[in-house]
Amino acid sequence: MVNDKKMGEDGIWLYCSNSAVRRASRQLGQLYEDAMGDTGLKGTQFSLLSQIARSGEPPLKSLAEAMVMDLSALGHTLKPLIRDGLVELVPDAKDRRVKRVRLTETGIAKQKELTARWQIAQDRFDKAFGKEKSEEMRRTLAFISSQEFAEAFNGNKKD
C-alpha cells in the first residue's frame, strides 16, 4: 500500500539522528554552494582551505583529525587543490617523513575571495535559523564531531 502522506512528514530522519544530520548536511551544502556561486570548488574543498588557513601549515595527520577524515579521504580531497595550485605539500623541517600542507599565494587569494561569499551564506543561515540557535547548533555539532563523543558513543568513556 502506498503511503499518501507527504514524504517529509514521516521520514526516517524523524527517528534516526544519523539520517537527520546527513539530510540536513546535504540541504545546507546545496544552499551554501548556491549562495557562494560558481567558484569551481566544492564546499568540502572550501572548508579544507579555510581550516588550512586557520592552522598555518598543519601536518596531514593533524588536518585529517581536525576534519574528521581518514588520510585517504583527505588525500583525495587535496588532489584537485594541489593540481590547481591552491595548496602544496611540504616536508616538516624537523622530520622529513611528516608532510605538511600549506596554502599557496593563489590559495590564499582564493580562500579570501571565497570567505567573502561564505559570509553572505552564513549571514543568510543566521537570519533564517536565528543567530543564537546557529551558535548552539555549531557547539553541539562540534561536540558530536569530537573524540570525546566518539568514545562515549562506543562505550569507551571512563567515568
Side-chain angles (χ1 to χ4, degrees):
M1 180 173 185
V2 175
N3 185 349
D4 288 336
K5 277 187 164 184
K6 288 175 68 176
M7 287 294 285
E9 291 178 10
D10 192 32
I12 187 65
W13 47 88
L14 296 176
Y15 310 97
C16 174
S17 298
N18 183 50
S19 295
V21 169
R22 287 179 177 269
R23 182 173 186 250
S25 178
R26 285 189 298 273
Q27 167 87 342
L28 199 53
Q30 291 168 2
L31 292 171
Y32 268 65
E33 286 183 14
D34 288 349
M36 290 178 68
D38 185 20
T39 64
L41 294 178
K42 302 248 184 255
T44 52
Q45 293 170 319
F46 168 69
S47 294
L48 197 51
L49 288 177
S50 296
Q51 185 60 40
I52 295 166
R54 291 182 66 83
S55 302
E57 290 185 14
L60 286 174
K61 184 177 180 192
S62 297
L63 182 59
E65 289 170 359
M67 300 297 292
V68 191
M69 300 172 88
D70 61 45
L71 283 171
S72 176
L74 177 61
H76 179 76
T77 307
L78 283 173
K79 196 176 287 189
L81 299 176
I82 293 169
R83 179 199 64 219
D84 295 343
L86 301 175
V87 302
E88 59 188 357
L89 298 179
V90 294
D92 183 85
K94 295 179 182 169
D95 184 350
R96 298 192 64 75
R97 296 171 298 177
V98 174
K99 296 287 185 220
R100 292 182 170 273
V101 61
R102 70 176 170 209
L103 298 180
T104 63
E105 291 299 319
T106 303
I108 292 168
K110 185 71 155 179
Q111 195 275 333
K112 284 182 181 176
E113 170 200 338
L114 295 178
T115 297
R117 293 180 183 200
W118 165 84
Q119 189 62 58
I120 293 167
Q122 187 65 29
D123 291 345
R124 288 182 187 175
F125 183 90
D126 286 347
K127 183 178 180 186
F129 193 64
K131 189 165 180 60
E132 292 79 21
K133 284 171 50 177
S134 296
E135 291 169 355
E136 179 61 29
M137 181 197 66
R138 287 190 297 274
R139 284 191 296 274
T140 300
L141 292 172
F143 174 67
I144 291 170
S145 301
S146 73
Q147 185 62 36
E148 179 184 0
F149 178 81
E151 290 171 1
F153 182 92
N154 289 321
N156 299 338
K157 187 169 181 164
K158 308 273 191 270
D159 291 322

